[in-house]
Structures are given as C-alpha cells and as structure tokens.
Amino acid sequence: STLKISKSDYEERYDEAYMNYLNGNYDTSLFLFNQLLELENINDLSDNCQYWIGEIYYSMKNYNEAISAFSKVFNYKDNNKAAYSQYKLGLCYLNTDETNKAVEAFEKVISRYNDHNDLVKKSEKVTISGEVFDAQSLLKSLYKKSDKKTFSKNFNSEVKINFDKTLTGTNDTVFDLAM
C-alpha cells in the first residue's frame, strides 16, 4: 500500500508540525516532520520538512544531527531552503569547532546564493570580521620577549580583538596574549 495523503492533509500536518516547533515541542515536531517525509508524495513542502528537522536539532544543540539534516535539504530539486541550510551548516560547524568547514559553508552562501542579501551579509560578517578570526598569521609576526609574545618595538597601535572564536594554531587563546 502506498503512503499517500492529499495535499491539503499534508499542509495541515505540516502546519501542526511547524506549530509544535515554534512552541518548543521539539520531540513532537520532529516526529511529525519525519512522518511527512516518509510519505510518498514529495511536494513543495518536503524540503521545508527536511529543513525544520535541521532547525529542531540545532535548537536542541545536537549539531551533528543538524548537519546531517541540513545537508539532506540539497537533495530536493527546486527547493527554497538551500540558502538557509547552507548558512545553518556554517553555524553548526562553528558550534562543533570545525572552523575551516564553517568558513567554507559561509563562502558558499556568498558565492551560490547572492540573491539572499540577508544571508550573504551575515555570512560575510562571520567570515570577515565576526565570529571567526584566524590569528595564526598575526601570531607569527610576534616575537618572543621573555615569556610573553609581543609586537615589535615600533608597534604602538591599539589592537582590539572582538571575536567569538579565534584560531591561533597553538593551544593559546587570544585572551592569553598581552597586547
């Protein structure tokens, strides 16, 4: 027997799953969205179901499951959630400390989905000045002076570092630097 329901039934169940998500009933919402995806009528809401499954896992801080769910959104042709999934993948990778993958994901948003201005702006901000800052090249320019790393003597500008995640290439964090 095929698992098919009418489009209006599908929409009704989708709305119910989405309302549960909005109300923070993640387990119920997850169950309902997965149930819709098991049906054999792929339609224009299928990619949305897959996307919201990713959002549920993201909300639950289950980033690896979220990565898996967001990645599946791209399997749907003509989907309207690809750009958002790509952006969310970047955030998931930031949360799992896979910074290189995060930067790659945000760069894909910028290059592939430039019609989504809001996401492009957010992605540029994250990769250029926001949450990811690669301090490795900066640290190589420092020289050792006693036990503290410092800039050369002729450097007297103030350095302001305002980043959530910093790559140092060592186990130091930027907060350990004397500036």
Side-chain angles (χ1 to χ4, degrees):
S1 66
T2 56
L3 299 164
K4 272 201 176 238
I5 57 172
S6 71
K7 180 83 163 95
S8 60
D9 277 354
Y10 197 102
E11 286 170 359
E12 219 169 276
R13 289 196 199 177
Y14 175 88
D15 289 342
E16 186 190 346
Y18 182 61
M19 286 314 295
N20 272 287
Y21 163 75
L22 291 179
N23 292 325
N25 304 325
Y26 297 136
D27 291 339
T28 306
S29 181
L30 193 59
F31 175 76
L32 294 170
F33 279 128
N34 273 315
Q35 223 180 23
L36 285 173
L37 288 178
E38 282 165 21
L39 297 170
E40 287 173 15
N41 41 346
I42 300 282
N43 60 52
D44 58 0
L45 287 175
S46 300
D47 58 316
N48 295 48
C49 291
Q50 186 59 59
Y51 173 81
W52 291 114
I53 288 170
E55 284 284 7
I56 291 165
Y57 283 125
Y58 186 85
S59 300
M60 295 164 82
K61 296 186 171 22
N62 188 339
Y63 301 115
N64 290 321
E65 286 292 340
I67 288 167
S68 166
F70 286 128
S71 300
K72 288 177 187 165
V73 171
F74 305 106
N75 299 338
Y76 295 93
K77 287 200 289 279
D78 303 326
N79 74 66
N80 65 340
K81 288 291 184 192
Y84 293 96
S85 296
Q86 189 64 60
Y87 177 72
K88 278 295 189 167
L89 279 171
L91 295 181
C92 288
Y93 287 128
L94 275 186
N95 281 296
T96 54
D97 289 323
E98 295 174 88
T99 318
N100 292 346
K101 283 185 177 180
V103 170
E104 211 174 278
F106 291 127
E107 283 172 350
K108 278 183 189 169
V109 173
I110 296 165
S111 61
R112 291 184 188 170
Y113 306 106
N114 51 17
D115 52 332
H116 286 75
N117 286 340
D118 55 331
L119 295 180
V120 167
K121 279 198 186 95
K122 283 187 201 169
S123 297
E124 284 174 341
K125 188 171 172 228
V126 172
T127 48
I128 296 162
S129 65
E131 294 164 40
V132 182
F133 170 60
D134 188 341
Q136 292 176 59
S137 52
L138 172 71
L139 293 177
K140 284 181 187 132
S141 68
L142 306 179
Y143 75 97
K144 259 191 166 343
K145 178 180 164 193
S146 70
D147 62 334
K148 285 190 173 169
K149 293 175 183 156
T150 178
F151 287 99
S152 60
K153 292 181 188 77
N154 59 8
F155 185 92
N156 60 6
S157 305
E158 183 188 333
V159 175
K160 187 174 177 192
I161 295 193
N162 177 16
F163 297 94
D164 299 339
K165 265 198 179 37
T166 307
L167 306 180
T168 57
T170 64
N171 292 329
D172 302 328
T173 66
V174 168
F175 304 108
D176 299 335
L177 293 175
M179 292 196 175

